[in-house]
Every structure is written in structure tokens, then in C-alpha cells.
Amino acid sequence: MAPQIPDPSVDIRSDDPPKAATQDFAGVWKVDTSNGATFDLTLSIVGKKVTGNFQILGQPQFSGTLSGTEITNGVIRFNWTQPQVPAGGEGSLEVFTNNTFRGFLNQGKPGLPLIKWTGSEHKIIHRTGKPRPSGGPANGGDAPRATAVNATTVYKTHSGKDTAANKVCAMRPGDTGTVLSKGPDQWVDLSNISGTCAGKSGWVWNGGDLKLP
């Protein structure tokens, strides 16, 4: 039997803010996991039903989907699958009023530990409990955009490894990208990069090659 998924409240902390409404899960999140992965998670909420998909930068074989339902206000339980691996299991998440969430999922196999998912405010791409307008941040409408003033490389991580495996694409002068976060150091995390990057995401070392908003 795979590990049973606990209610997220087992991870309650004394400084936790109040739980938010289930609708506040809707949007696109940048998520960190306890097994070292980082990915974009898109969630849609209709009533008490939740659907979504997740994508790991540069590793499309690990993309997957999830679907589930509200088990109490601000808490969802879901099933997830990665068709190309293949893998799957179940999980649960709890959302808070400070625009963060935490939760757990299992790996669908006996003996494997639970994985913790954390969506943090400073890594959120777009958050709204309402449908996204066509010209909104998800499409680059009014989100802060950085512009390349020189050709520069986009990397999967901010490790500084200048290897082919760590490269996503190259920005050319005039290409733009949505700014997700700045730092550590001079690294800038971008998404929806234009030009030959064709909407990809990644990290750029800004040694004067980017004009930031």
C-alpha cells in the first residue's frame, strides 16, 4: 500500500496565517518540492472541483496532471499522474491567506516517502480567484517584463553550470520575459520568454544583458 495522504493540517505551525478560500488555489504557481524538484503548477477551480497540470522546466517527460475536489474550505485532495514516466498517486494541499500553500503527495508505490509541495508567495507567477483576462499577466499583458539588450543564455537552474544540459535557450536583443523573481546574486527568473525561446522559462545571469522593470 502506498503511504496514506494525511490532511495538510498535520503540518500546522504556530505562525500559520488563516486558511484561504478554496477558490484561491486558482492560478499558476511556482512550486518547490521536498525531493528537490521545482515546477510550474496551473490549477483551475470550478465549485468544489479542482483540475490542473504541472510542468518541470526542460523535462517534459515529467509533466503531469491532477484532478480532485475540496474536502473542506481551503483544502483539496487530488489524484495525480505523469503519463510518460509512468507514475501517479494522490495528494492534498492547503492554501493560506498570505498566498502560499503546503501539502503532501505520495509516489504511488509502497515504501516510498511522502513528498511535500510548497507554493511560496515570492515565486508565484500569477494568482487570482477569477478567470484570467486574455491580456493579463499569464499572457504578458501587465506583468513586469525584462528586455534583453545583449544576447544572453537562459539556464534551467541558477547553479552557474555552463553545460548543454543546463541551457534552455538563448535570448536575442529585444527579446522579453516575465520577471518571476530576482536573485540570488544577479540571477533573474523569467517565464514566457519571447523570440526563439518560444515561451520557455529559465534563469538569466544579469551582468548588464537585461533591462529590468
Side-chain angles (χ1 to χ4, degrees), residues 5 9 27-28 36-37 47-49 56 60 69 74 78 90 93 116 119 127-129 134 142 185 190 204:
I5 296 298
S9 63
V28 184
K48 295 186 177 183
K49 299 295 183 181
I56 299 177
T69 189
F78 57 87
E90 60 177 337
L93 295 173
K116 187 175 180 178
R127 291 283 293 110
T128 179
S134 59
D142 55 7
D185 300 320
L190 300 177
V204 173

Side-chain angles (χ1 to χ4, degrees), residues 195-209:
T196 57
C197 287
K200 294 178 181 177
S201 301
W203 294 86
V204 173
W205 176 263
N206 187 23
D209 298 319

Side-chain angles (χ1 to χ4, degrees), residues 86-107:
E90 60 177 337
S92 58
L93 295 173
E94 181 173 25
V95 68
F96 300 99
T97 54
N98 67 341
N99 292 335
T100 66
F101 70 63
R102 290 199 308 268
F104 305 89
L105 69 157
N106 65 27
Q107 301 180 63

Side-chain angles (χ1 to χ4, degrees), residues 56-169:
I56 299 177
L57 180 63
Q59 300 182 68
Q61 70 273 25
F62 294 117
S63 295
T65 61
L66 62 83
S67 63
T69 189
E70 173 189 84
I71 58 174
T72 187
N73 190 50
V75 180
I76 56 175
R77 186 179 291 271
F78 57 87
N79 294 314
W80 64 274
T81 182
Q82 291 171 297
Q84 294 186 55
V85 179
E90 60 177 337
S92 58
L93 295 173
E94 181 173 25
V95 68
F96 300 99
T97 54
N98 67 341
N99 292 335
T100 66
F101 70 63
R102 290 199 308 268
F104 305 89
L105 69 157
N106 65 27
Q107 301 180 63
K109 297 178 181 179
L112 297 180
L114 295 173
I115 296 175
K116 187 175 180 178
W117 280 8
T118 305
S120 302
E121 182 174 13
H122 73 283
K123 291 189 175 181
I124 292 171
I125 301 171
H126 174 70
R127 291 283 293 110
T128 179
K130 300 179 181 179
R132 222 183 265 114
S134 59
N139 295 306
D142 55 7
R145 303 280 290 179
T147 302
V149 295
N150 300 305
T152 187
T153 302
V154 181
Y155 295 94
K156 294 179 183 178
T157 68
H158 54 72
S159 63
K161 293 181 179 179
D162 193 27
T163 61
N166 194 37
K167 293 180 180 179
V168 177
C169 59

